């Protein structure tokens, strides 16, 4: 039961730290995990060449290939992003856009996988919810089951405030509480839905 976490930060700082912590919790809950980071990776933007629509593979063969192979077998995905200008990082957006080649090959590629989002902003209200919504929109478009944090505490999911530092995010008690609640629900959803093979 593989869960793939993607860090959309080009640094090993707040976002990667929080994602690592989340995957560690999932490991304790008996899930197999994999962390993939955009950091130091080579990946081109989608250029809408439509090569994938006929060839069922991307015209670019770069570092996204390995990630997408793991997406194929994953039961759950966790996209984690720093908030850049009120949205996801360009790097995470590239990971999303280039999946067009996967969906061109199989429109149900992502269907039924469980999805959770983690956002980390330098400001307290810096656009975390907008970035979270961008992640959930990707999940919805692709037929995934998006997981929020639930009412009374986490709502849309894990949204953290770093004050622009690794130390800052470790002190964000409210954000960490939301992360805990969202992770708990993610595990519940994996137990509820991902163990069934209902999407054929
Ligand atoms: C290009 C850029 C744009 C940013 N825009 C925002 C923003 O809109 N809102 C916000 O809260 N923080 C913004 N930040 C701050 C980062 O979200 C914050 O420093 C975060 O902790 C970075 O994550 P990392 O430590 O994992 O790299 C921005 C940072 C960069 C580099």
């Amino acid at each position: 039961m593989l869960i793939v976490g993607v860090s959309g930060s080009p640094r090993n700082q707040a976002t990667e730290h929080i994602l690592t912590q989340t995957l560690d919790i999932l490991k304790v809950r008996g899930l197999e995990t994999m962390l993939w980071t955009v950091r130091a990776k080579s990946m081109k933007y989608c250029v809408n060449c439509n090569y994938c629509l006929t060839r069922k593979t991307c015209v670019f063969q770069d570092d996204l290939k390995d990630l997408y192979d793991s997406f194929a077998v994953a039961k759950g995905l966790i996209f984690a992003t720093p908030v850049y200008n009120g949205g996801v990082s360009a790097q995470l957006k590239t990971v999303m856009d280039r999946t067009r080649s996967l969906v061109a090959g199989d429109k149900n590629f992502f269907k039924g996988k469980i999805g959770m989002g983690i956002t980390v902003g330098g400001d307290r209200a810096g656009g975390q919810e907008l970035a979270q919504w961008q992640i959930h929109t990707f999940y919805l478009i692709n037929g995934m089951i998006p997981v929020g944090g639930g009412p009374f505490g986490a709502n849309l999911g894990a949204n953290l405030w770093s004050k622009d530092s690794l130390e800052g995010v470790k002190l964000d008690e409210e954000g960490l509480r939301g992360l805990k609640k969202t992770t708990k629900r993610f595990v519940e959803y994996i137990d509820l839905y991902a163990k069934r093979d209902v999407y054929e």
Side-chain angles (χ1 to χ4, degrees), residues 9 11 13-16 82-86 120-123 126 162 164:
S9 172
R11 314 186 304 169
Q13 289 291 311
T15 308
E16 198 170 316
V83 179
Y84 283 178
N85 289 298
V120 181
D123 298 320
S162 71
D164 290 322

Side-chain angles (χ1 to χ4, degrees), residues 104-196:
D106 172 9
K107 68 176 177 10
N108 292 328
F109 183 93
F110 288 101
K111 198 170 175 183
K113 297 185 195 293
I114 314 297
M116 169 178 157
I118 296 173
T119 69
V120 181
D123 298 320
R124 188 171 66 84
Q128 284 88 336
E129 289 199 337
L130 295 169
Q132 187 70 248
W133 190 241
Q134 231 179 325
I135 292 171
H136 284 295
T137 299
F138 174 87
Y139 294 157
L140 288 169
I141 286 171
N142 289 291
M144 289 176 54
I145 302 170
V147 179
F152 306 114
N155 298 287
L156 287 179
N159 296 317
L160 293 108
W161 174 28
S162 71
K163 295 186 181 170
D164 290 322
S165 78
L166 175 58
E167 289 316 307
V169 86
K170 290 179 184 171
L171 295 173
D172 179 19
E173 282 180 26
E174 196 53 45
L176 292 170
R177 198 170 302 127
L179 174 71
K180 198 171 158 195
K181 288 186 72 151
T182 311
T183 307
K184 186 165 177 262
R185 280 167 71 96
F186 181 79
V187 173
E188 281 168 15
Y189 274 53
I190 290 284
D191 284 343
L192 271 174
Y193 305 114
K195 290 184 178 159
R196 297 191 215 148

Side-chain angles (χ1 to χ4, degrees), residues 13-113:
Q13 289 291 311
T15 308
E16 198 170 316
H17 168 78
I18 292 295
L19 179 60
T20 303
Q21 191 172 308
T22 307
L23 296 179
D24 285 346
I25 294 168
L26 299 181
K27 267 186 238 161
V28 172
R29 302 296 299 262
L31 295 165
E32 188 191 343
T33 64
M34 177 189 137
L35 189 150
W36 191 93
T37 167
V38 300
R39 182 160 49 85
K41 293 292 191 319
S42 162
M43 50 182 181
K44 299 218 187 290
Y45 302 126
C46 174
V47 293
N48 199 359
C49 64
N50 288 334
Y51 180 94
C52 63
L53 298 186
T54 51
R55 306 290 185 92
K56 313 300 179 199
T57 186
C58 187
V59 71
F60 300 126
Q61 295 297 314
D62 54 24
D63 289 344
L64 284 174
K65 167 94 177 59
D66 287 348
L67 175 65
Y68 291 166
D69 286 348
S70 63
F71 278 179
V73 291
K75 292 291 187 184
L77 304 182
I78 302 179
F79 283 178
T81 188
V83 179
Y84 283 178
N85 289 298
V88 300
S89 69
Q91 291 90 335
L92 184 66
K93 189 61 167 46
T94 301
V95 170
M96 293 180 185
D97 291 345
R98 290 273 305 281
T99 63
R100 191 166 195 250
S101 61
L102 305 176
V103 182
D106 172 9
K107 68 176 177 10
N108 292 328
F109 183 93
F110 288 101
K111 198 170 175 183
K113 297 185 195 293

